[in-house]
Amino acid sequence: AQSVTQPDIHITVSEGASLELRCNYSYGATPYLFWYVQSPGQGLQLLLKYFSGDTLVQGIKGFEAEFKRSQSSFNLRKPSVHWSDAAEYFCAVGFNNAGNMLTFGGGTRLMVKP
Amino acid sequence: EPEVTQTPSHQVTQMGQEVILRCVPISNHLYFYWYRQILGQKVEFLVSFYNNEISEKSEIFDDQFSVERPDGSNFTLKIRSTKLEDSAMYFCASGSGLWGPQYFGPGTRLTVL
């Protein structure tokens, strides 16, 4: 069965440091890939998406993600984290053989140290 | 910027009662979804809705659940007889295309006592 894994439940980084959040999926074909962010009390905000083409995609708030087919990964990166980036981040995947539902990873909670 | 809105933000109900969760999707979107997140667990797909009918549903979406688009703007999720395990955050989402991005509302926290 298809699955999405975010190996890191919590990550703490210092403000100004770089960030990489990991996402791996299990599926035989290329899926549709998304990253969402959820701040406390807020809904899920779309950061970026990958459907096809260039494997490095740019999103909002200075985030980017790279699709690596060989590793079945879609890791989220940011070169310099701001305190306002503290939130929970969700990787979500759409699989062609599963209609248009999204399968979510468990989320990674990011904390930012001053 | 257009947003998906949901009401109420928090609903408390007694077990066995019916609840209706309301959503107003983004106005030109054609695809509508409900997801839920039980505290401490993953966000889970419930149902998708297109052209006035359900297009996909998960195993969670049993006969106790129903969805409706009663007019041109609202999209509702009804739970007929709530159970304790229905306590969760329920998210509505909408999208403009089949595999376009889904835009989520802020959620309704349902507490079943």
Side-chain angles (χ1 to χ4, degrees):
Chain A
Q2 298 98 342
S3 64
V4 182
T5 302
Q6 292 180 246
D8 305 304
I9 298 174
H10 292 102
I11 281 186
T12 301
V13 299
S14 298
E15 191 167 18
S18 63
L19 171 70
E20 182 168 24
L21 303 182
R22 296 181 291 165
C23 174
N24 294 93
Y25 64 89
S26 167
Y27 184 52
T30 300
Y32 303 95
L33 300 158
F34 308 86
W35 275 98
Y36 288 87
V37 60
Q38 184 180 32
S39 299
Q42 304 293 313
L44 297 162
Q45 182 183 20
L46 179 69
L47 283 177
L48 47 76
K49 60 187 183 292
Y50 173 80
F51 292 162
S52 65
D54 192 349
T55 56
L56 183 64
V57 293
Q58 303 296 321
I60 62 170
K61 304 186 180 190
F63 285 93
E64 66 178 28
E66 185 171 13
F67 169 56
K68 292 186 176 179
R69 186 191 309 273
S70 61
Q71 297 177 18
S72 297
S73 69
F74 188 57
N75 293 350
L76 182 71
R77 301 195 294 246
K78 187 168 184 178
S80 177
V81 169
H82 188 262
W83 64 266
S84 61
D85 293 324
E88 186 147 24
Y89 292 79
F90 293 93
C91 178
V93 180
F95 300 105
N96 278 326
N97 63 348
N100 53 353
M101 59 177 275
L102 292 180
T103 299
F104 281 79
T108 298
R109 181 163 297 281
L110 173 67
M111 290 180 283
V112 181
K113 293 189 300 186
Chain B
E1 184 176 323
E3 292 181 333
V4 176
T5 59
Q6 291 185 242
T7 54
S9 57
H10 192 187
Q11 172 125 22
V12 181
T13 190
Q14 296 292 324
M15 188 170 57
Q17 295 296 302
E18 174 183 288
V19 296
I20 297 176
L21 310 183
R22 291 182 166 80
C23 169
V24 179
I26 294 172
S27 63
N28 63 345
H29 285 181
L30 301 175
Y31 294 82
F32 313 108
Y33 310 86
W34 284 101
Y35 291 79
R36 78 173 187 189
Q37 184 180 29
I38 295 171
L39 191 62
Q41 298 186 22
K42 292 186 178 186
V43 177
E44 302 172 289
F45 170 80
L46 293 178
V47 66
S48 61
F49 191 86
Y50 170 72
N51 200 25
N52 277 322
E53 61 183 25
I54 290 173
S55 48
E56 298 286 338
K57 61 182 181 179
S58 71
E59 292 175 352
I60 303 168
F61 194 87
D62 61 22
D63 291 344
Q64 294 297 315
F65 292 87
S66 61
V67 289
E68 193 178 34
R69 188 154 163 81
D71 53 42
S73 60
N74 291 284
F75 180 51
T76 62
L77 174 69
K78 181 192 291 186
I79 309 175
R80 288 187 183 79
S81 178
T82 50
K83 303 187 281 286
L84 295 176
E85 54 265 37
D86 294 327
S87 295
M89 181 74 88
Y90 288 80
F91 293 105
C92 174
S94 69
S96 57
L98 177 59
W99 275 117
Q102 297 177 21
Y103 295 90
F104 285 75
T108 293
R109 179 164 296 286
L110 175 66
T111 303
V112 182
L113 302 176

